Amino acid sequence: MANGYILCSTPRSGSTLLCDLLTSTKQAGQPNSFYRRQSITEWAAWWGLPGRETMSAGAFDRLYLAAAVQEGTAGTPIFGMRLMRENLEELSDILDGLFPRLPSDCARLEQAFGPLVFIHLSRADKLAQAVSLIKAEQSGLWHVAPDGSEVERLAPPAEPQYDFKRIEREQAALTAFDRAWEVWFQKEGISPLRVVYEELADDPAGTLARLCQALGVQAPKPGDVKPGVAKLSDALSLDWMRRYHTDLSANG
């Protein structure tokens, strides 16, 4: 049985939905992005850790790792963490400083977090993923509850604006991140559990049951599975995708 899992993902692939579902079991940890570089200072403050400037980098990294393990375990038998591909190398460097001379990223991760299951969450429709990401960045609204109330807003409300070139760039970047995960899995000899956003959105209870089985914990009854966030795709999203296809054809 694994000590934990790492949810390997990309932005707007349903990772918040899946993290919430896993947390809701109260048996599979409390996964979050503990090593997202922009959030480390916030997490450290939340955990009441001394400031980085008060100690050596190594001392801070050791305290931070212990706090992250405690937060990601949350009193359950299993540790959970979400990791975006763009943060992998930075995390590996931190762990290499704590556990030097280990032969691989996987060895460093398992030294830090114990035996792991790797879950690869991807989104098949890269156009929809890119549109979702751009809308969230422009509007400031990242997640809403099933009743429509705001769950996560990172900026004041603003009107999203269609941008063909930006959609094109984001599609390429998201595709590159997924490919980079695949290269890393192959390099590390990892056969991840694979979850596709479209299947997760259509059948959250079934997807959660499959993951619970792999993690060795009891899955909740299907009727008890209540997603904590709702889809943000709307008529504007569909309009942007239609306009993108039209512009793509016009541009050859």
Side-chain angles (χ1 to χ4, degrees):
M1 178 176 171
N3 280 20
Y5 58 90
I6 293 182
L7 178 58
C8 306
S9 190
T10 56
R12 309 309 286 175
S13 62
S15 63
T16 296
L17 169 61
L18 188 51
C19 285
D20 287 351
L21 289 173
L22 287 161
T23 300
S24 73
T25 68
K26 301 187 185 304
Q27 302 179 80
Q30 185 172 257
N32 212 316
S33 298
F34 306 123
Y35 283 92
R36 177 179 178 268
R37 69 177 64 91
Q38 302 94 322
S39 303
I40 287 178
T41 300
E42 293 177 11
W43 278 116
W46 174 257
W47 296 327
L49 301 184
R52 289 189 184 194
E53 70 282 358
T54 66
M55 65 187 79
S56 69
F60 177 85
D61 290 342
R62 282 190 292 273
L63 285 176
Y64 190 93
L65 173 60
V69 169
Q70 183 174 357
E71 181 80 16
T73 304
T76 74
I78 292 177
F79 168 79
M81 182 171 73
R82 173 173 55 187
L83 183 64
M84 297 299 174
R85 183 59 183 81
E86 62 195 277
N87 300 129
L88 173 60
E89 280 77 15
E90 188 169 2
L91 172 57
S92 183
D93 287 344
I94 291 170
L95 297 182
D96 187 46
L98 295 176
F99 311 110
R101 296 182 294 279
L102 292 177
S104 66
D105 288 342
C106 189
R108 285 182 278 275
L109 290 165
E110 296 207 327
Q111 183 68 37
F113 305 112
L116 293 167
V117 170
F118 292 88
I119 303 167
H120 184 213
L121 175 62
S122 60
R123 187 166 181 167
D125 190 338
K126 285 290 180 287
L127 174 57
Q129 187 177 1
V131 166
S132 178
L133 178 58
I134 294 166
K135 280 183 59 191
E137 289 175 342
Q138 291 186 346
S139 69
L141 180 61
W142 285 80
H143 297 102
V144 297
D147 64 4
S149 59
E150 294 187 2
V151 172
E152 184 179 21
R153 172 175 288 284
L154 300 182
E159 188 68 27
Q161 301 295 323
Y162 171 80
D163 185 332
F164 173 81
K165 289 295 185 182
R166 186 171 177 183
I167 294 174
E168 198 169 45
R169 289 194 302 271
E170 292 294 359
Q171 278 192 96
L174 292 166
T175 299
F177 280 136
D178 268 348
R179 288 175 179 163
W181 273 127
E182 295 296 347
V183 169
W184 185 76
F185 292 141
Q186 184 174 11
K187 174 188 172 186
E188 299 291 322
I190 293 169
S191 297
L193 289 173
R194 298 190 182 275
V195 177
V196 178
Y197 166 76
E198 287 79 359
E199 295 174 359
L200 170 64
D202 287 344
D203 185 14
T207 301
L208 182 60
R210 179 163 65 91
L211 295 181
C212 285
Q213 182 179 22
L215 295 170
V217 300
Q218 181 68 41
K221 296 177 181 178
D224 293 336
V225 176
K226 307 294 183 185
V229 293
K231 292 181 179 180
L232 275 172
S233 179
D234 55 14
L236 181 62
S237 306
L238 295 175
D239 179 61
W240 281 17
M241 288 188 279
R242 178 191 58 77
R243 290 175 64 181
Y244 178 83
H245 284 301
T246 299
D247 290 347
L248 188 64
S249 296
N251 291 333

